[in-house]
Amino acid sequence: GSFDMPGGIKLSPVYRMQAGNNFGRQFVASGLNYANPTINAEPLNTNRTKNINIFDLRVDRAVQIKGYRLSPFLDLYNLNNANPTQDISITSGSSYLRPINIVSPRIARIGVKLDW
């Protein structure tokens, strides 16, 4: 949704909640004559990573110029600066539970939209 504020400013907040991924510990069977298969040591729904909660915001204001509508905007992503892991290593060993991907830090984007 969006909220119309005084002065023609429009606020568009977005809250995103992403459930954590299910995972189970795995290991690689090495020393076999033909391959190194990955074997599940636990069922794949044994554990779950933490949920990801992100808050984004867009602020814009439309201006009419000679029949055109010019809308400068400011997008702010990850306002709460959350940094949970999105993906982890689930293979037993020294890298078990090591983060592979984390949520991007706070980001701002400035732009202009032109409607004709």
Side-chain angles (χ1 to χ4, degrees):
S2 60
F3 301 97
D4 293 327
M5 306 300 286
I9 296 174
K10 187 187 302 183
L11 294 178
S12 302
V14 175
Y15 172 75
R16 295 181 289 151
M17 188 277 193
Q18 176 182 332
N21 295 328
N22 289 336
F23 70 94
R25 184 185 289 256
Q26 297 178 334
F27 67 93
V28 177
S30 59
L32 302 176
N33 290 336
Y34 58 91
N36 294 327
T38 300
I39 299 172
N40 292 333
E42 301 174 324
L44 291 178
N45 62 355
T46 302
N47 302 302
R48 179 183 285 271
T49 58
K50 292 182 180 178
N51 295 338
I52 298 172
N53 297 292
I54 305 289
F55 182 71
D56 301 333
L57 179 68
R58 172 175 272 205
V59 180
D60 66 16
R61 183 176 187 275
V63 178
Q64 293 283 40
I65 300 176
K66 296 183 181 180
Y68 298 105
R69 186 171 54 198
L70 189 68
S71 300
F73 62 86
L74 171 65
D75 288 337
L76 301 169
Y77 299 103
N78 194 7
L79 280 177
N80 53 339
N81 204 24
N83 64 348
T85 58
Q86 290 181 310
D87 196 14
I88 59 173
S89 174
I90 61 173
T91 304
S92 291
S94 61
S95 65
Y96 181 64
L97 298 181
R98 181 176 293 164
I100 296 172
N101 293 319
I102 61 171
V103 173
S104 298
R106 217 176 269 139
I107 298 173
R109 178 173 69 171
I110 298 171
V112 177
K113 185 172 70 169
L114 177 63
D115 295 324
W116 68 89

